[in-house]
Amino acid sequence: MRMRTYLISLILFLLTLSLHAHKGGHGYRNTKEWSIDGNKIEASFLAFKDGLVFLETKTGELVIEELSAFTRHDRLLIEDKINRIKSINQVSGNSGIFVAKHERGLENNGFSMNYFLIALSAVSFFIFAYFFRRKRMLTASMSVASFLIIMVFACGNSDDSGDTDDGAEDDDPIVSSVPANDVDALQELFGLFSNVTTDFDDTYFYVSSTGLPDHDMMVGITNWQQQVPIPQDYTGGNSWAFPIQPVLAETPLSSSEHFLRGAIAIAVNGIPVFNPLNNRGEDALAIGELDQWGGHCGRADDYHYHVPPTHLEATVGADQPVAYALDGFPVYGETTEELDEYLGKFNEDGSYQYHTTDTAPYFIAGMRGQITLDPNTTAPEDQILPQAMTREVRPALTPLAGAVITGFNQIDTNAYSLEYQIGTDTYYTNYSWDENGLYTYEYVDADGTVTTATYQR
């Protein structure tokens, strides 16, 4: 009798162990098949830190891969896991590491719950064996009932614990990565402008130009710093560049608190687009510094926009970008769709794009993508790298009070004439340059007096 009793107890105990181990068991989290650089691997998600994904195979082997090595589908799943972990554990967005064992609470906290259930089962077995051997059947039956309740609880725990991912995307996944820019489409888009050339490598798409657009300039400025547009050498190593594969920033930087130096985007006609705030933190459009095309000249006589050049839609089409931010995301014209706090939106394919508005801050309220800041600059007068550099010819001048620019004409191949008025008086700034980089400026007063200055670049 004693041997049979212990044999029954042993069978029940082994049955409970099997229940704890079913559906992949509690010894490790449920695995799934991941696609990494075209290779398949069966593993469970462990953690994410600094762009690296940590996986564990069924044999306990640790696999570490960059997030970018996974397919887009798997990247979405990983990011969703990270955000669920953050949400459940109230992890700060600056912690930088997200571990799967915190994702669901007690039942996923190592083996603690499983050991607890097994211990209860063992106690039930011994109670059953003791009273069964003494023919106290009621008490033995109660121990069996307790054992069955524990088995049901264990089964439910096994079903719910670990990762129950079946490979399907959630209804509204948190996007961690976005599609890469289509290089062929970029070349076609920028190629619509004859003064723009492009190139690319594995990381960046490069845009080269002279910095002079093929449209009129300067007319309409009422707050003028006496700068005029001259060509810039945005070529070779000084070309504009933005990443082919944008990456979403964990903490986007606000444009009202950053980027008061340099460009934040490059227009499809090769002209840089600066922050809507000038280097003094003022709304350049609101204070009359911009012309009818949203641009003006900086201290190096470099022409650039401070709002997206939506007039370029006449050339590229209303459904095409008018610029690309230096984080790699496109900038479109206005839209009736709802925009996020950065003045952008996600599309169904996971891509992201900025849009223009007719009120401040006009575009890119915050840089949604990852960027590199120039370590030699500090906020708010910091700038994004890589950044094409300008070359000035003459010293920067001061604002000319009361001046309104009324005309700007090209009078020769390398010669322009700018007309402005102060009250009822008309003035001109005529300038030209030769092939050796000698610049000649003629300043014509209202009475016809001409002052000439030359500068060698």
Side-chain angles (χ1 to χ4, degrees), residues 280-324:
R280 300 180 300 279
E282 304 165 318
D283 186 328
L285 178 61
I287 65 174
E289 284 189 347
L290 305 185
D291 61 23
Q292 297 173 1
W293 299 270
H296 72 177
C297 295
R299 295 178 179 179
D301 284 333
D302 54 303
Y303 186 81
H304 56 262
Y305 303 115
H306 274 271
V307 293
T310 53
H311 58 272
L312 296 181
E313 288 183 330
T315 300
V316 302
D319 61 341
Q320 295 296 317
V322 296
Y324 272 81

mmCIF file of all heavy atoms in Angstrom, residues 280-324:
data_model
loop_
_atom_site.group_PDB
_atom_site.id
_atom_site.type_symbol
_atom_site.label_atom_id
_atom_site.label_comp_id
_atom_site.label_asym_id
_atom_site.label_seq_id
_atom_site.Cartn_x
_atom_site.Cartn_y
_atom_site.Cartn_z
ATOM 1 N N ARG A 280 18.981 85.808 -33.542
ATOM 2 C CA ARG A 280 18.658 86.535 -32.311
ATOM 3 C C ARG A 280 17.402 85.977 -31.640
ATOM 4 O O ARG A 280 16.911 86.527 -30.651
ATOM 5 C CB ARG A 280 18.465 88.028 -32.606
ATOM 6 C CG ARG A 280 19.687 88.705 -33.208
ATOM 7 C CD ARG A 280 19.446 90.176 -33.481
ATOM 8 N NE ARG A 280 18.337 90.396 -34.410
ATOM 9 C CZ ARG A 280 18.431 90.300 -35.735
ATOM 10 N NH1 ARG A 280 19.599 89.968 -36.296
ATOM 11 N NH2 ARG A 280 17.390 90.514 -36.516
ATOM 12 N N GLY A 281 16.850 84.911 -32.224
ATOM 13 C CA GLY A 281 15.665 84.288 -31.661
ATOM 14 C C GLY A 281 14.366 84.961 -32.053
ATOM 15 O O GLY A 281 13.325 84.690 -31.455
ATOM 16 N N GLU A 282 14.406 85.819 -33.082
ATOM 17 C CA GLU A 282 13.211 86.536 -33.534
ATOM 18 C C GLU A 282 12.581 85.825 -34.721
ATOM 19 O O GLU A 282 13.275 85.175 -35.519
ATOM 20 C CB GLU A 282 13.574 87.966 -33.940
ATOM 21 C CG GLU A 282 14.266 88.768 -32.849
ATOM 22 C CD GLU A 282 14.935 90.022 -33.386
ATOM 23 O OE1 GLU A 282 15.559 89.946 -34.472
ATOM 24 O OE2 GLU A 282 14.840 91.069 -32.738
ATOM 25 N N ASP A 283 11.285 85.953 -34.857
ATOM 26 C CA ASP A 283 10.557 85.402 -36.002
ATOM 27 C C ASP A 283 10.924 86.230 -37.233
ATOM 28 O O ASP A 283 10.471 87.356 -37.408
ATOM 29 C CB ASP A 283 9.056 85.474 -35.730
ATOM 30 C CG ASP A 283 8.226 84.798 -36.816
ATOM 31 O OD1 ASP A 283 8.652 84.805 -37.993
ATOM 32 O OD2 ASP A 283 7.142 84.292 -36.496
ATOM 33 N N ALA A 284 11.764 85.656 -38.101
ATOM 34 C CA ALA A 284 12.292 86.411 -39.243
ATOM 35 C C ALA A 284 11.191 86.885 -40.178
ATOM 36 O O ALA A 284 11.279 87.984 -40.744
ATOM 37 C CB ALA A 284 13.300 85.546 -40.009
ATOM 38 N N LEU A 285 10.152 86.082 -40.339
ATOM 39 C CA LEU A 285 9.050 86.465 -41.214
ATOM 40 C C LEU A 285 8.241 87.603 -40.599
ATOM 41 O O LEU A 285 7.906 88.592 -41.279
ATOM 42 C CB LEU A 285 8.155 85.257 -41.490
ATOM 43 C CG LEU A 285 6.922 85.496 -42.353
ATOM 44 C CD1 LEU A 285 7.320 85.985 -43.747
ATOM 45 C CD2 LEU A 285 6.070 84.236 -42.448
ATOM 46 N N ALA A 286 7.952 87.489 -39.318
ATOM 47 C CA ALA A 286 7.096 88.468 -38.653
ATOM 48 C C ALA A 286 7.729 89.855 -38.601
ATOM 49 O O ALA A 286 7.014 90.867 -38.622
ATOM 50 C CB ALA A 286 6.755 87.989 -37.248
ATOM 51 N N ILE A 287 9.060 89.932 -38.538
ATOM 52 C CA ILE A 287 9.704 91.248 -38.413
ATOM 53 C C ILE A 287 10.147 91.817 -39.753
ATOM 54 O O ILE A 287 10.853 92.820 -39.798
ATOM 55 C CB ILE A 287 10.902 91.176 -37.441
ATOM 56 C CG1 ILE A 287 12.002 90.280 -38.010
ATOM 57 C CG2 ILE A 287 10.467 90.714 -36.074
ATOM 58 C CD1 ILE A 287 13.276 90.282 -37.162
ATOM 59 N N GLY A 288 9.731 91.194 -40.853
ATOM 60 C CA GLY A 288 9.963 91.758 -42.172
ATOM 61 C C GLY A 288 11.308 91.466 -42.793
ATOM 62 O O GLY A 288 11.705 92.120 -43.768
ATOM 63 N N GLU A 289 12.022 90.461 -42.281
ATOM 64 C CA GLU A 289 13.352 90.161 -42.829
ATOM 65 C C GLU A 289 13.314 89.330 -44.109
ATOM 66 O O GLU A 289 14.337 89.225 -44.786
ATOM 67 C CB GLU A 289 14.187 89.414 -41.789
ATOM 68 C CG GLU A 289 14.727 90.300 -40.680
ATOM 69 C CD GLU A 289 15.727 89.573 -39.807
ATOM 70 O OE1 GLU A 289 15.818 88.333 -39.898
ATOM 71 O OE2 GLU A 289 16.420 90.250 -39.039
ATOM 72 N N LEU A 290 12.175 88.735 -44.424
ATOM 73 C CA LEU A 290 12.119 87.798 -45.545
ATOM 74 C C LEU A 290 11.460 88.409 -46.769
ATOM 75 O O LEU A 290 10.577 89.266 -46.672
ATOM 76 C CB LEU A 290 11.365 86.536 -45.126
ATOM 77 C CG LEU A 290 11.881 85.821 -43.879
ATOM 78 C CD1 LEU A 290 11.121 84.527 -43.656
ATOM 79 C CD2 LEU A 290 13.383 85.570 -43.963
ATOM 80 N N ASP A 291 11.884 87.907 -47.937
ATOM 81 C CA ASP A 291 11.303 88.369 -49.195
ATOM 82 C C ASP A 291 10.029 87.595 -49.518
ATOM 83 O O ASP A 291 9.527 86.813 -48.693
ATOM 84 C CB ASP A 291 12.331 88.276 -50.329
ATOM 85 C CG ASP A 291 12.810 86.844 -50.575
ATOM 86 O OD1 ASP A 291 12.090 85.882 -50.216
ATOM 87 O OD2 ASP A 291 13.914 86.676 -51.138
ATOM 88 N N GLN A 292 9.517 87.795 -50.716
ATOM 89 C CA GLN A 292 8.256 87.170 -51.113
ATOM 90 C C GLN A 292 8.371 85.654 -51.268
ATOM 91 O O GLN A 292 7.357 84.963 -51.392
ATOM 92 C CB GLN A 292 7.772 87.783 -52.429
ATOM 93 C CG GLN A 292 7.466 89.270 -52.318
ATOM 94 C CD GLN A 292 7.159 89.895 -53.668
ATOM 95 O OE1 GLN A 292 7.147 89.212 -54.699
ATOM 96 N NE2 GLN A 292 6.897 91.198 -53.680
ATOM 97 N N TRP A 293 9.584 85.134 -51.242
ATOM 98 C CA TRP A 293 9.808 83.702 -51.411
ATOM 99 C C TRP A 293 10.275 83.046 -50.113
ATOM 100 O O TRP A 293 10.663 81.893 -50.103
ATOM 101 C CB TRP A 293 10.826 83.477 -52.526
ATOM 102 C CG TRP A 293 10.338 84.027 -53.832
ATOM 103 C CD1 TRP A 293 9.600 83.380 -54.786
ATOM 104 C CD2 TRP A 293 10.502 85.369 -54.301
ATOM 105 N NE1 TRP A 293 9.299 84.229 -55.814
ATOM 106 C CE2 TRP A 293 9.837 85.473 -55.560
ATOM 107 C CE3 TRP A 293 11.139 86.516 -53.811
ATOM 108 C CZ2 TRP A 293 9.798 86.634 -56.307
ATOM 109 C CZ3 TRP A 293 11.104 87.693 -54.555
ATOM 110 C CH2 TRP A 293 10.442 87.735 -55.792
ATOM 111 N N GLY A 294 10.242 83.822 -49.025
ATOM 112 C CA GLY A 294 10.587 83.273 -47.714
ATOM 113 C C GLY A 294 12.071 83.244 -47.418
ATOM 114 O O GLY A 294 12.505 82.537 -46.506
ATOM 115 N N GLY A 295 12.863 84.050 -48.173
ATOM 116 C CA GLY A 295 14.304 84.025 -47.972
ATOM 117 C C GLY A 295 14.919 85.392 -47.766
ATOM 118 O O GLY A 295 14.264 86.425 -47.919
ATOM 119 N N HIS A 296 16.183 85.399 -47.419
ATOM 120 C CA HIS A 296 16.998 86.611 -47.334
ATOM 121 C C HIS A 296 18.457 86.185 -47.310
ATOM 122 O O HIS A 296 18.778 85.006 -47.460
ATOM 123 C CB HIS A 296 16.622 87.461 -46.124
ATOM 124 C CG HIS A 296 17.048 86.907 -44.799
ATOM 125 N ND1 HIS A 296 16.848 87.573 -43.607
ATOM 126 C CD2 HIS A 296 17.676 85.741 -44.451
ATOM 127 C CE1 HIS A 296 17.325 86.861 -42.605
ATOM 128 N NE2 HIS A 296 17.818 85.751 -43.086
ATOM 129 N N CYS A 297 19.365 87.130 -47.102
ATOM 130 C CA CYS A 297 20.793 86.829 -47.095
ATOM 131 C C CYS A 297 21.371 86.967 -45.701
ATOM 132 O O CYS A 297 20.999 87.864 -44.940
ATOM 133 C CB CYS A 297 21.545 87.754 -48.043
ATOM 134 S SG CYS A 297 21.094 87.513 -49.759
ATOM 135 N N GLY A 298 22.301 86.075 -45.386
ATOM 136 C CA GLY A 298 22.999 86.135 -44.116
ATOM 137 C C GLY A 298 24.236 86.999 -44.194
ATOM 138 O O GLY A 298 24.488 87.693 -45.184
ATOM 139 N N ARG A 299 25.051 86.929 -43.162
ATOM 140 C CA ARG A 299 26.228 87.796 -43.066
ATOM 141 C C ARG A 299 27.260 87.503 -44.134
ATOM 142 O O ARG A 299 28.105 88.346 -44.430
ATOM 143 C CB ARG A 299 26.838 87.664 -41.671
ATOM 144 C CG ARG A 299 25.927 88.174 -40.561
ATOM 145 C CD ARG A 299 26.558 87.986 -39.196
ATOM 146 N NE ARG A 299 25.699 88.502 -38.137
ATOM 147 C CZ ARG A 299 26.002 88.457 -36.842
ATOM 148 N NH1 ARG A 299 27.151 87.900 -36.459
ATOM 149 N NH2 ARG A 299 25.172 88.944 -35.943
ATOM 150 N N ALA A 300 27.243 86.321 -44.681
ATOM 151 C CA ALA A 300 28.175 85.964 -45.749
ATOM 152 C C ALA A 300 27.565 86.211 -47.120
ATOM 153 O O ALA A 300 28.055 85.694 -48.116
ATOM 154 C CB ALA A 300 28.596 84.504 -45.614
ATOM 155 N N ASP A 301 26.518 87.036 -47.173
ATOM 156 C CA ASP A 301 25.783 87.275 -48.425
ATOM 157 C C ASP A 301 25.257 85.964 -49.002
ATOM 158 O O ASP A 301 25.149 85.793 -50.213
ATOM 159 C CB ASP A 301 26.669 87.995 -49.453
ATOM 160 C CG ASP A 301 26.827 89.485 -49.142
ATOM 161 O OD1 ASP A 301 25.925 90.058 -48.504
ATOM 162 O OD2 ASP A 301 27.846 90.071 -49.544
ATOM 163 N N ASP A 302 24.936 85.045 -48.130
ATOM 164 C CA ASP A 302 24.416 83.731 -48.527
ATOM 165 C C ASP A 302 22.895 83.750 -48.484
ATOM 166 O O ASP A 302 22.295 84.061 -47.453
ATOM 167 C CB ASP A 302 24.945 82.640 -47.601
ATOM 168 C CG ASP A 302 24.658 82.941 -46.132
ATOM 169 O OD1 ASP A 302 25.073 84.013 -45.647
ATOM 170 O OD2 ASP A 302 23.996 82.108 -45.466
ATOM 171 N N TYR A 303 22.264 83.423 -49.601
ATOM 172 C CA TYR A 303 20.807 83.409 -49.659
ATOM 173 C C TYR A 303 20.288 82.106 -49.058
ATOM 174 O O TYR A 303 20.803 81.012 -49.352
ATOM 175 C CB TYR A 303 20.319 83.554 -51.092
ATOM 176 C CG TYR A 303 18.810 83.681 -51.208
ATOM 177 C CD1 TYR A 303 18.194 84.905 -50.981
ATOM 178 C CD2 TYR A 303 18.014 82.586 -51.528
ATOM 179 C CE1 TYR A 303 16.807 85.037 -51.074
ATOM 180 C CE2 TYR A 303 16.642 82.707 -51.624
ATOM 181 C CZ TYR A 303 16.045 83.933 -51.389
ATOM 182 O OH TYR A 303 14.670 84.066 -51.483
ATOM 183 N N HIS A 304 19.276 82.211 -48.228
ATOM 184 C CA HIS A 304 18.644 81.026 -47.642
ATOM 185 C C HIS A 304 17.218 81.361 -47.235
ATOM 186 O O HIS A 304 16.857 82.528 -47.059
ATOM 187 C CB HIS A 304 19.429 80.522 -46.423
ATOM 188 C CG HIS A 304 19.636 81.547 -45.360
ATOM 189 N ND1 HIS A 304 20.812 82.268 -45.236
ATOM 190 C CD2 HIS A 304 18.833 82.013 -44.362
ATOM 191 C CE1 HIS A 304 20.724 83.105 -44.219
ATOM 192 N NE2 HIS A 304 19.520 82.972 -43.673
ATOM 193 N N TYR A 305 16.419 80.313 -47.094
ATOM 194 C CA TYR A 305 15.037 80.460 -46.651
ATOM 195 C C TYR A 305 14.967 80.350 -45.128
ATOM 196 O O TYR A 305 15.807 79.707 -44.497
ATOM 197 C CB TYR A 305 14.146 79.380 -47.261
ATOM 198 C CG TYR A 305 14.139 79.311 -48.766
ATOM 199 C CD1 TYR A 305 14.635 78.185 -49.430
ATOM 200 C CD2 TYR A 305 13.610 80.339 -49.541
ATOM 201 C CE1 TYR A 305 14.613 78.090 -50.816
ATOM 202 C CE2 TYR A 305 13.586 80.257 -50.935
ATOM 203 C CZ TYR A 305 14.099 79.129 -51.558
ATOM 204 O OH TYR A 305 14.075 79.046 -52.931
ATOM 205 N N HIS A 306 13.920 80.946 -44.561
ATOM 206 C CA HIS A 306 13.603 80.744 -43.150
ATOM 207 C C HIS A 306 12.242 80.082 -42.964
ATOM 208 O O HIS A 306 11.863 79.771 -41.842
ATOM 209 C CB HIS A 306 13.632 82.063 -42.389
ATOM 210 C CG HIS A 306 15.004 82.446 -41.906
ATOM 211 N ND1 HIS A 306 15.514 82.059 -40.684
ATOM 212 C CD2 HIS A 306 15.983 83.158 -42.509
ATOM 213 C CE1 HIS A 306 16.738 82.539 -40.535
ATOM 214 N NE2 HIS A 306 17.056 83.205 -41.631
ATOM 215 N N VAL A 307 11.523 79.894 -44.032
ATOM 216 C CA VAL A 307 10.286 79.108 -44.054
ATOM 217 C C VAL A 307 10.342 78.235 -45.300
ATOM 218 O O VAL A 307 11.035 78.565 -46.264
ATOM 219 C CB VAL A 307 9.022 80.006 -44.070
ATOM 220 C CG1 VAL A 307 8.886 80.767 -42.764
ATOM 221 C CG2 VAL A 307 9.047 80.962 -45.256
ATOM 222 N N PRO A 308 9.670 77.109 -45.299
ATOM 223 C CA PRO A 308 9.736 76.213 -46.460
ATOM 224 C C PRO A 308 9.282 76.918 -47.740
ATOM 225 O O PRO A 308 8.273 77.632 -47.735
ATOM 226 C CB PRO A 308 8.780 75.075 -46.081
ATOM 227 C CG PRO A 308 8.761 75.080 -44.595
ATOM 228 C CD PRO A 308 8.860 76.523 -44.206
ATOM 229 N N PRO A 309 9.995 76.724 -48.832
ATOM 230 C CA PRO A 309 9.648 77.361 -50.104
ATOM 231 C C PRO A 309 8.505 76.633 -50.802
ATOM 232 O O PRO A 309 8.701 75.896 -51.775
ATOM 233 C CB PRO A 309 10.949 77.260 -50.901
ATOM 234 C CG PRO A 309 11.585 76.004 -50.395
ATOM 235 C CD PRO A 309 11.232 75.927 -48.930
ATOM 236 N N THR A 310 7.297 76.838 -50.318
ATOM 237 C CA THR A 310 6.152 76.116 -50.871
ATOM 238 C C THR A 310 5.860 76.502 -52.316
ATOM 239 O O THR A 310 5.141 75.778 -53.004
ATOM 240 C CB THR A 310 4.901 76.363 -50.009
ATOM 241 O OG1 THR A 310 4.697 77.776 -49.864
ATOM 242 C CG2 THR A 310 5.079 75.758 -48.621
ATOM 243 N N HIS A 311 6.440 77.614 -52.778
ATOM 244 C CA HIS A 311 6.249 77.992 -54.185
ATOM 245 C C HIS A 311 6.889 76.965 -55.123
ATOM 246 O O HIS A 311 6.550 76.907 -56.311
ATOM 247 C CB HIS A 311 6.846 79.381 -54.460
ATOM 248 C CG HIS A 311 8.310 79.477 -54.147
ATOM 249 N ND1 HIS A 311 8.779 79.804 -52.903
ATOM 250 C CD2 HIS A 311 9.406 79.291 -54.919
ATOM 251 C CE1 HIS A 311 10.098 79.828 -52.916
ATOM 252 N NE2 HIS A 311 10.508 79.510 -54.126
ATOM 253 N N LEU A 312 7.774 76.126 -54.596
ATOM 254 C CA LEU A 312 8.407 75.097 -55.422
ATOM 255 C C LEU A 312 7.431 73.979 -55.788
ATOM 256 O O LEU A 312 7.730 73.154 -56.657
ATOM 257 C CB LEU A 312 9.619 74.515 -54.704
ATOM 258 C CG LEU A 312 10.778 75.488 -54.433
ATOM 259 C CD1 LEU A 312 11.921 74.778 -53.733
ATOM 260 C CD2 LEU A 312 11.262 76.124 -55.738
ATOM 261 N N GLU A 313 6.276 73.940 -55.123
ATOM 262 C CA GLU A 313 5.261 72.948 -55.490
ATOM 263 C C GLU A 313 4.829 73.128 -56.939
ATOM 264 O O GLU A 313 4.381 72.169 -57.581
ATOM 265 C CB GLU A 313 4.055 73.059 -54.562
ATOM 266 C CG GLU A 313 4.314 72.549 -53.146
ATOM 267 C CD GLU A 313 3.073 72.619 -52.276
ATOM 268 O OE1 GLU A 313 2.229 73.516 -52.504
ATOM 269 O OE2 GLU A 313 2.935 71.777 -51.379
ATOM 270 N N ALA A 314 4.956 74.333 -57.464
ATOM 271 C CA ALA A 314 4.603 74.572 -58.873
ATOM 272 C C ALA A 314 5.507 73.777 -59.801
ATOM 273 O O ALA A 314 5.125 73.451 -60.929
ATOM 274 C CB ALA A 314 4.699 76.064 -59.178
ATOM 275 N N THR A 315 6.713 73.440 -59.330
ATOM 276 C CA THR A 315 7.664 72.660 -60.139
ATOM 277 C C THR A 315 7.610 71.178 -59.804
ATOM 278 O O THR A 315 7.573 70.329 -60.689
ATOM 279 C CB THR A 315 9.100 73.172 -59.916
ATOM 280 O OG1 THR A 315 9.182 74.552 -60.289
ATOM 281 C CG2 THR A 315 10.099 72.375 -60.739
ATOM 282 N N VAL A 316 7.582 70.845 -58.517
ATOM 283 C CA VAL A 316 7.670 69.440 -58.109
ATOM 284 C C VAL A 316 6.309 68.774 -57.975
ATOM 285 O O VAL A 316 6.210 67.549 -57.986
ATOM 286 C CB VAL A 316 8.448 69.312 -56.784
ATOM 287 C CG1 VAL A 316 9.843 69.890 -56.914
ATOM 288 C CG2 VAL A 316 7.696 69.973 -55.626
ATOM 289 N N GLY A 317 5.247 69.575 -57.800
ATOM 290 C CA GLY A 317 3.924 69.017 -57.572
ATOM 291 C C GLY A 317 3.530 69.143 -56.113
ATOM 292 O O GLY A 317 4.377 69.063 -55.216
ATOM 293 N N ALA A 318 2.248 69.318 -55.863
ATOM 294 C CA ALA A 318 1.748 69.520 -54.505
ATOM 295 C C ALA A 318 1.882 68.275 -53.630
ATOM 296 O O ALA A 318 1.806 68.366 -52.402
ATOM 297 C CB ALA A 318 0.283 69.964 -54.550
ATOM 298 N N ASP A 319 2.092 67.110 -54.244
ATOM 299 C CA ASP A 319 2.211 65.864 -53.479
ATOM 300 C C ASP A 319 3.655 65.461 -53.258
ATOM 301 O O ASP A 319 3.935 64.339 -52.830
ATOM 302 C CB ASP A 319 1.467 64.744 -54.197
ATOM 303 C CG ASP A 319 2.021 64.463 -55.593
ATOM 304 O OD1 ASP A 319 2.721 65.346 -56.149
ATOM 305 O OD2 ASP A 319 1.743 63.378 -56.135
ATOM 306 N N GLN A 320 4.590 66.378 -53.525
ATOM 307 C CA GLN A 320 6.004 66.080 -53.379
ATOM 308 C C GLN A 320 6.649 67.000 -52.346
ATOM 309 O O GLN A 320 6.177 68.115 -52.103
ATOM 310 C CB GLN A 320 6.722 66.241 -54.726
ATOM 311 C CG GLN A 320 6.298 65.253 -55.793
ATOM 312 C CD GLN A 320 6.646 63.823 -55.413
ATOM 313 O OE1 GLN A 320 7.736 63.544 -54.904
ATOM 314 N NE2 GLN A 320 5.703 62.903 -55.636
ATOM 315 N N PRO A 321 7.753 66.557 -51.720
ATOM 316 C CA PRO A 321 8.432 67.412 -50.743
ATOM 317 C C PRO A 321 9.041 68.646 -51.414
ATOM 318 O O PRO A 321 9.452 68.595 -52.571
ATOM 319 C CB PRO A 321 9.542 66.510 -50.189
ATOM 320 C CG PRO A 321 9.166 65.117 -50.576
ATOM 321 C CD PRO A 321 8.394 65.227 -51.845
ATOM 322 N N VAL A 322 9.098 69.737 -50.653
ATOM 323 C CA VAL A 322 9.785 70.942 -51.124
ATOM 324 C C VAL A 322 11.160 71.063 -50.482
ATOM 325 O O VAL A 322 11.962 71.911 -50.881
ATOM 326 C CB VAL A 322 8.963 72.210 -50.838
ATOM 327 C CG1 VAL A 322 7.652 72.175 -51.609
ATOM 328 C CG2 VAL A 322 8.706 72.380 -49.339
ATOM 329 N N ALA A 323 11.448 70.212 -49.494
ATOM 330 C CA ALA A 323 12.743 70.230 -48.818
ATOM 331 C C ALA A 323 12.913 68.928 -48.048
ATOM 332 O O ALA A 323 11.952 68.163 -47.874
ATOM 333 C CB ALA A 323 12.842 71.423 -47.871
ATOM 334 N N TYR A 324 14.135 68.695 -47.600
ATOM 335 C CA TYR A 324 14.424 67.573 -46.704
ATOM 336 C C TYR A 324 15.139 68.111 -45.480
ATOM 337 O O TYR A 324 16.139 68.827 -45.590
ATOM 338 C CB TYR A 324 15.289 66.516 -47.396
ATOM 339 C CG TYR A 324 14.453 65.507 -48.141
ATOM 340 C CD1 TYR A 324 13.947 65.801 -49.413
ATOM 341 C CD2 TYR A 324 14.122 64.281 -47.587
ATOM 342 C CE1 TYR A 324 13.155 64.897 -50.091
ATOM 343 C CE2 TYR A 324 13.327 63.363 -48.264
ATOM 344 C CZ TYR A 324 12.842 63.677 -49.513
ATOM 345 O OH TYR A 324 12.045 62.787 -50.170
#
